[in-house]
Amino acid sequence: MQKVVERDQNVVNEVERSKWKRVGLNLAKDWRLYVLLIPMLAFLVCFKYLPIYGILTGFKWGDDADVLYNSQWCGYKWLENIFFGDSAPVFWRSFRNTFVNSMYGLVVGFPIPIFLALLFSEVKALGYRSFLQVCAYLPHFVSLVVITSIIGLWCEGEHGSYDGGMLYQAMKSIGWTVADDGATVNTATLLSQPKFFRPIYQISGIWEGAGYGSIVYFAAVLAISPTSYEAARIDGASKMQQIRYITMPGMAPTLSIMLITRIGHILTVGYEKVILLIGDKEKAWETGDIISTLVYRMSGRDSATAGDAIPQIGIVADLFNGIIAMCLVLGANAISRRVSSTSLF
């Protein structure tokens, strides 16, 4: 028995001694693959890890980059400022708008690509299905500037002999083109009114991304074995019962992963589309201002607000936003692991 134990121990020791040798052999064997990883690693280091050092500037005094990196520490002054100080109203407005817009996108926008994938899977004519998929994917590949320009034309109000855009005329026909102060919106656009911004933003986002987002779910549907559907049809299951008991359980792992990923981005809303839609419409900032636009304006990149820019405000606001997003991902991942045994990590 002692000889067996000694033999096993010798094997373990030999494996430990040759560990790095085996790693080196594997690297030498697949060196081409590891060379291909170098650009990705360089991108991560340059654009994901090095900027983390800039977070320190949110805890220092100063008004420009040189002073920020060499000035004295100020503690939590700027955090207190955005939570309870002069910047608190603007920060909490942007935080609320970010959360509300993202929740609308999650509740309304998340199921629609799933429905599209189910509809595509039921179209048996391959040519017709391909045509529908291309039409659904197309808006995703159109420039964001073009998308927002089209939306602006649709929402444009009356001026001169022009009766307004298509969406404006539709809203006018049902009496919804009345501003918050009771005046009729006739020389502006629907986007100039805070109450119209969120619906337009969400509907345009669904139109732009639902088709492209359905690709993952459509692949998950195709991965389900056709024999399961054949057995269900033999047992007399209706189409809705097949979707309920076969399709949805088969898509469950993909749905869990995509939902966790979506929750992780619930407070990450890009500033580009918001700024392009709002432009110089000051009143629309009431419902359109989000964390990323606050960071953009406080960084001094917006010429209209460059004089009032405080870079530290944008930095600590973005840091707080990132911490909340990380907590949401960890929480959603833990819940998914307990409920469905599917998780990111």
Side-chain angles (χ1 to χ4, degrees):
M1 183 67 181
Q2 186 176 359
K3 292 182 178 180
V4 174
V5 173
E6 292 177 355
R7 185 186 62 189
D8 292 343
Q9 186 62 40
N10 292 334
V11 172
V12 172
N13 293 336
E14 181 62 28
V15 171
E16 289 294 332
R17 282 195 300 268
S18 62
K19 175 182 178 181
W20 294 109
K21 181 180 179 180
R22 287 183 285 109
V23 170
L25 291 174
N26 288 332
L27 289 175
K29 179 182 177 181
D30 299 322
W31 66 271
R32 297 173 183 84
L33 298 178
Y34 293 104
V35 168
L36 292 176
L37 286 175
I38 293 177
M40 183 193 71
L41 294 176
F43 174 82
L44 289 176
V45 171
C46 293
F47 297 99
K48 299 297 182 180
Y49 288 96
L50 290 181
I52 293 177
Y53 180 71
I55 294 175
L56 297 178
T57 63
F59 303 93
K60 291 187 175 184
W61 299 100
D63 296 325
D64 56 69
D66 293 334
V67 176
L68 285 173
Y69 283 101
N70 297 284
S71 60
Q72 297 295 320
W73 296 94
C74 66
Y76 299 107
K77 170 184 169 54
W78 301 114
L79 280 173
E80 294 174 355
N81 188 282
I82 65 170
F83 290 152
F84 314 108
D86 297 336
S87 302
V90 177
F91 169 75
W92 289 116
R93 182 188 69 179
S94 62
F95 182 80
R96 181 182 65 252
N97 290 337
T98 303
F99 186 79
V100 170
N101 285 332
S102 297
M103 286 302 299
Y104 283 163
L106 180 64
V107 174
V108 179
F110 184 75
I112 292 181
I114 302 173
F115 296 150
L116 274 178
L118 294 175
L119 291 175
F120 290 151
S121 65
E122 294 301 321
V123 179
K124 304 306 179 184
L126 296 181
Y128 183 56
R129 184 172 70 188
S130 299
F131 173 76
L132 293 178
Q133 288 177 309
V134 169
C135 292
Y137 303 159
L138 187 60
H140 177 80
F141 298 99
V142 178
S143 170
L144 184 60
V145 176
V146 176
I147 292 289
T148 53
S149 299
I150 293 173
I151 296 171
L153 291 174
W154 286 352
C155 299
E156 190 174 0
E158 302 175 23
H159 55 85
S161 59
Y162 183 60
D163 295 331
M166 178 177 62
L167 184 58
Y168 174 85
Q169 294 185 34
M171 301 292 276
K172 182 180 178 181
S173 65
I174 56 179
W176 283 8
T177 55
V178 177
D180 296 332
D181 56 2
T184 303
V185 184
N186 53 9
T187 58
T189 72
L190 296 178
L191 292 170
S192 64
Q193 296 300 314
K195 64 180 180 180
F196 290 124
F197 180 81
R198 284 176 184 162
I200 293 173
Y201 181 87
Q202 296 300 334
I203 294 172
S204 63
I206 293 172
W207 168 61
E208 181 184 358
Y212 188 78
S214 67
I215 294 176
V216 176
Y217 305 111
F218 182 66
V221 173
L222 294 182
I224 301 173
S225 175
T227 57
S228 300
Y229 293 102
E230 294 173 1
R233 283 193 293 268
I234 292 174
D235 291 338
S238 63
K239 181 59 65 177
M240 292 303 299
Q241 289 174 327
Q242 293 176 36
I243 293 175
R244 178 180 177 183
Y245 295 107
I246 299 176
T247 306
M248 297 307 295
M251 296 174 63
T254 303
L255 293 176
S256 300
I257 297 299
M258 296 301 293
L259 182 59
I260 294 171
T261 306
R262 185 66 178 268
I263 290 175
H265 291 84
I266 198 170
L267 292 178
T268 306
V269 182
Y271 64 88
E272 298 91 347
K273 183 177 179 181
V274 175
I275 291 177
L276 288 171
L277 285 176
I278 291 180
D280 58 352
K281 309 169 189 66
E282 293 295 332
K283 289 186 64 177
W285 287 112
E286 294 179 16
T287 55
D289 194 17
I290 55 178
I291 294 291
S292 58
T293 57
L294 176 66
V295 174
Y296 178 83
R297 290 185 288 109
M298 287 299 174
S299 67
R301 286 176 288 180
D302 185 2
S303 58
T305 59
D308 302 325
I310 305 177
Q312 297 96 321
I313 296 296
I315 291 170
V316 294
D318 201 29
L319 175 61
F320 176 76
N321 186 55
I323 292 173
I324 297 298
M326 182 188 69
C327 294
L328 289 173
V329 170
L330 295 176
N333 188 74
I335 294 172
S336 178
R337 185 169 58 246
R338 287 180 175 272
V339 173
S340 64
S341 300
T342 302
S343 62
L344 285 173
F345 46 86

